[in-house]
Amino acid sequence: MLKEQCIREIEAVAGRYPSRQSALLPALDIAQRANGNVLSHDDIAAVASIIGVSVSKAYGVATYYTLYNKGNVGKYHIQVDTNIPATLMGAGAVLAHLEKKLRIRPGETTPDGMFTLTEVEDLGSCGTCPVIQVNDTYYENMTVEKADALIESLKKGVTPPSDAESYFGTDCGILLKNRADTTCRALAAYRAKGGYEGLKKAAAMQPAEILDLVKRAIVRGRGGAGFPAGMKWGFLPQNWSGPVYLICNADEGEPGTFKDRQIMEYDPHLLVEGIAIAARAIRATKSFIYIRGEFRWISEILEAAIKETCGAGLIGEGDIVVHRGQGSYECGEETALIESLEGKRGCPRIKPPFPASKGLYGCPTIVNNVETLACLPYVLVNGADEFKKIGVTGNAGPKLFGVSGHVNRPGMYEFPLGTPLKKILEAAGGVKGKLKAVIVGGLSTPILTADEAQNLNMDYDACLKAGTMLGSGGIIVMNDTVSIPPIALRTIKFYAHESCGQCTPCREGSVAIESLLEKIIHGYGVRDDIDTVVRLCDTIIGTTLCPTGDAFAMPVRAMVRKFREEFEALIRN
């Protein structure tokens, strides 16, 4: 039975959305937190009744997302990220130490109910790995010694403060201009540095004028595809008289990617201003920030910034809603995100229709990435020509590059599009040891050998010519101590885990590839298994509803083709 206070909280959240069903995810989260961090069948049924959906629908949602705990967890839920950036930076040793110290395996709880240990996927902290999440708190740059001290402190009932120090640098002074000044989280400090001047200019312009300016600036989407934002806005129907919605995609679940967090956590008003500009350009009725659920403290920073901006009269009450996801990589795809925002399982829709014509609640909707929207204030203040002076032809403006893995200063670096990869790696302190391979656009992009990456420039077109993609700009560096077959296996394990299961090629293909790579790595594979992996990848590419099939098939295929001798060396028969 949910307590009255919990019910009132759910009702308050439901009032923020045009449709009550959109409040299903946050309502389930509220119920879970009110009941010892566990979501029981009775709680699910109670939430369903309050929101006005069937119990089966609520149960389907609760069992889809990983942040809902259907079984008991300890007082301290210890979650260790073991994805590829974390593994390269020592997460395996940290996890092994925790298993030994707590005397439990991942998925188990200590007999006294104090600790539950879980091995989790990417936590969006790739530059500060290894990372341990304890309930809602991130502990970054962890070592075995730090993990040991953390557990000892928790045993005494003391939750230590987190240390989120990380490396960063900027060659442009646009997206990371306030990164070193946390006072800019406050409106007064942000405005003192010229903040909201872009919105002021936008308010004096007609929506069509803003659209034309963004088109001329060639602001390419920073979420991965690189599609021009102005062109995307131009797909909205001109004769539509109903609501139009803007969604900021802040889900950021791609391993190797942690760029959007830098903006939201340290310069939230930059994003709020960008959203307000875009909302005016497309005549949006309401805007949403869909942020990954693990970033609870960042969502609170955003909510505080929105409240302050609203209080200053710069935006209207309820114009921007922060909506926390509940653990699904798939929700980074725009139509799956929309489904999730509507209070459903995050499964992609068939396209067409595209969101610009039929999106959230069946209305025209634009989905833009955090970094894309954060570029807009500069464009409005300085103009299209100044923006295009940054970068190279067809690839204008600043870009955030998150560098993780085997470098001396893993972190976030802002450079113009088209900057040589060499220069970015130098800013990150250089490679530890000898470079063997690099993934330049997040885990879903094809791996490059050291020779292929030698003269690479980091822009959308140059990366395509090199046989990979710029993607999110998440650079994962591997030195010559790395064996590629385990990297391939960890890659497919991630995507097999995150597949929504809707498409057969993705659902079955990911599991089949994982099984074959397991065989090869554990020494009981045959040479034909290597060819079968490549053949499956070839078959899957281009056959799924969303890009997830390509997201694992392309990188795994590249790993096998470029480092085939390492796979063949594991064949004993």
Side-chain angles (χ1 to χ4, degrees):
M1 176 76 70
L2 297 180
K3 294 181 180 179
E4 190 60 37
Q5 181 181 349
C6 183
I7 294 171
R8 286 198 299 268
E9 190 175 348
I10 291 172
E11 287 291 354
V13 170
R16 301 163 66 190
Y17 297 91
S19 168
R20 285 182 66 85
Q21 187 174 330
S22 284
L24 181 56
L25 270 70
L28 289 169
D29 180 61
I30 291 168
Q32 176 170 280
R33 289 173 179 275
N35 291 283
N37 209 26
V38 177
L39 193 59
S40 69
H41 285 266
D42 289 344
D43 293 336
I44 293 170
V47 168
S49 177
I50 295 168
I51 297 299
V53 299
S54 67
V55 175
S56 62
K57 178 164 285 188
Y59 186 77
V61 167
T63 53
Y64 180 83
Y65 296 95
T66 60
L67 298 190
Y68 296 127
N69 301 318
K70 276 67 73 177
N72 291 331
V73 295
K75 179 180 179 180
Y76 299 111
H77 192 180
I78 311 296
Q79 301 168 84
V80 183
D81 176 356
T82 61
N83 213 292
I84 289 171
T87 297
L88 293 173
M89 296 163 76
V94 171
L95 178 61
H97 178 73
L98 288 171
E99 290 182 46
K100 184 178 180 180
K101 186 173 184 66
L102 298 174
R103 297 181 180 179
I104 55 174
R105 301 279 296 169
E108 296 177 349
T109 300
T110 54
D112 60 2
M114 184 68 74
F115 298 102
T116 295
L117 181 63
T118 306
E119 183 178 358
V120 297
E121 298 297 347
D122 176 73
L123 287 174
S125 183
C126 309
T128 46
C129 291
V131 57
I132 298 173
Q133 183 181 6
V134 181
N135 299 341
D136 289 331
T137 304
Y138 273 36
Y139 295 94
E140 300 170 279
N141 301 303
M142 295 300 286
T143 61
V144 167
E145 293 74 22
K146 287 182 179 180
D148 201 55
L150 173 63
I151 297 300
E152 288 302 317
S153 180
L154 295 174
K155 283 180 178 180
K156 298 173 184 175
V158 178
T159 302
S162 61
D163 176 14
E165 289 187 9
S166 60
Y167 295 113
F168 63 91
T170 175
D171 199 48
C172 304
I174 297 173
L175 299 173
L176 295 184
K177 64 180 179 181
N178 296 324
R179 175 62 176 79
D181 184 3
T182 55
T183 66
C184 284
R185 290 175 180 165
L187 178 61
Y190 180 73
R191 295 188 82 171
K193 291 189 173 183
Y196 288 104
E197 287 300 312
L199 180 58
K200 183 179 178 181
K201 284 198 172 185
M205 299 168 67
Q206 293 299 314
E209 294 176 309
I210 303 171
L211 173 61
D212 179 65
L213 177 63
V214 173
K215 280 184 174 179
R216 286 189 288 109
I218 317 176
V219 181
R220 298 183 69 162
R222 263 64 170 168
F227 193 82
M231 187 180 296
K232 191 175 192 178
W233 298 356
F235 293 151
L236 290 167
Q238 299 303 307
N239 56 353
W240 175 261
S241 59
V244 174
Y245 296 106
L246 172 66
I247 302 174
C248 170
N249 186 345
D251 196 46
E252 193 156 65
E254 174 90 356
T257 305
F258 54 104
K259 63 186 181 64
D260 296 337
R261 171 184 170 181
Q262 307 296 314
I263 295 168
M264 296 186 290
E265 186 172 6
Y266 296 99
D267 203 2
H269 284 285
L270 180 64
L271 175 59
V272 174
E273 183 178 8
I275 290 172
I277 291 168
R280 176 160 178 77
I282 67 172
R283 297 185 172 90
T285 313
K286 201 175 191 71
S287 302
F288 298 89
I289 301 174
Y290 188 106
I291 186 171
R292 62 180 299 167
E294 295 91 340
F295 287 170
R296 178 169 290 271
W297 83 97
I298 300 178
S299 71
E300 291 169 354
I301 290 171
L302 288 169
E303 286 169 342
I306 291 166
K307 183 178 181 180
E308 204 175 8
T309 308
C310 179
L314 296 170
I315 60 174
E317 182 76 35
D319 281 0
I320 304 174
V321 174
V322 178
H323 181 94
R324 283 189 288 269
Q326 290 299 317
S328 170
Y329 167 81
E330 193 63 53
C331 289
E333 194 277 333
E334 61 179 5
T335 62
L337 183 154
I338 290 170
E339 287 283 294
S340 182
L341 186 50
E342 289 182 352
K344 304 171 187 174
R345 295 161 68 94
C347 296
R349 296 175 178 176
I350 295 173
K351 294 185 288 189
F354 292 91
S357 58
K358 188 177 181 181
L360 186 64
Y361 312 129
C363 298
T365 303
I366 291 296
V367 182
N368 283 139
N369 174 259
V370 169
E371 188 184 357
T372 308
L373 293 165
C375 286
L376 299 182
Y378 183 90
V379 174
L380 266 292
V381 170
N382 297 280
D385 290 339
E386 286 301 311
F387 187 79
K388 286 191 289 188
K389 286 179 182 178
I390 304 166
V392 295
T393 303
N395 293 265
K399 180 77 186 77
L400 295 181
F401 297 99
V403 187
S404 62
H406 293 144
V407 291
N408 291 298
R409 293 169 56 89
M412 186 58 55
Y413 299 93
E414 180 185 11
F415 282 97
L417 278 167
T419 297
L421 175 62
K422 277 184 181 179
K423 186 174 181 179
I424 298 170
L425 296 184
E426 286 170 4
V431 178
K432 287 182 177 179
K434 182 180 179 183
L435 181 65
K436 176 176 181 175
V438 61
I439 298 169
V440 299
L443 188 58
S444 63
T445 61
I447 195 169
L448 296 176
T449 65
D451 287 343
E452 290 173 324
Q454 181 73 18
N455 298 307
L456 179 67
N457 292 329
M458 293 294 284
D459 63 70
Y460 298 99
D461 301 330
C463 286
L464 280 175
K465 289 178 182 177
T468 188
M469 294 177 289
L470 182 67
S472 62
I475 302 170
I476 306 173
V477 179
M478 289 166 265
N479 66 22
D480 60 1
T481 66
V482 174
S483 173
I484 299 300
I487 298 293
L489 177 59
R490 189 63 185 88
T491 298
I492 197 61
K493 278 183 176 291
F494 169 74
Y495 288 104
H497 176 269
E498 295 295 337
S499 173
C500 75
Q502 193 170 213
C503 300
T504 302
C506 181
R507 181 186 66 244
E508 303 298 329
S510 59
V511 174
I513 293 171
E514 180 183 356
S515 177
L516 287 165
L517 289 176
E518 286 272 16
K519 283 177 61 182
I520 293 167
I521 287 171
H522 290 99
Y524 53 90
V526 296
R527 196 171 298 274
D528 284 348
D529 290 336
I530 302 174
D531 295 324
T532 303
V533 168
V534 174
R535 188 165 60 251
L536 281 170
C537 291
D538 288 339
T539 302
I540 292 165
I541 292 171
T543 64
T544 54
L545 275 176
C546 81
T548 300
D550 290 11
F552 67 76
M554 290 195 297
V556 169
R557 183 178 65 178
M559 289 176 195
V560 175
R561 285 181 171 172
K562 295 179 181 183
F563 299 92
R564 187 181 177 103
E565 69 280 0
E566 294 188 26
F567 292 85
E568 290 179 343
L570 298 171
I571 303 299
R572 297 178 182 175
N573 298 319

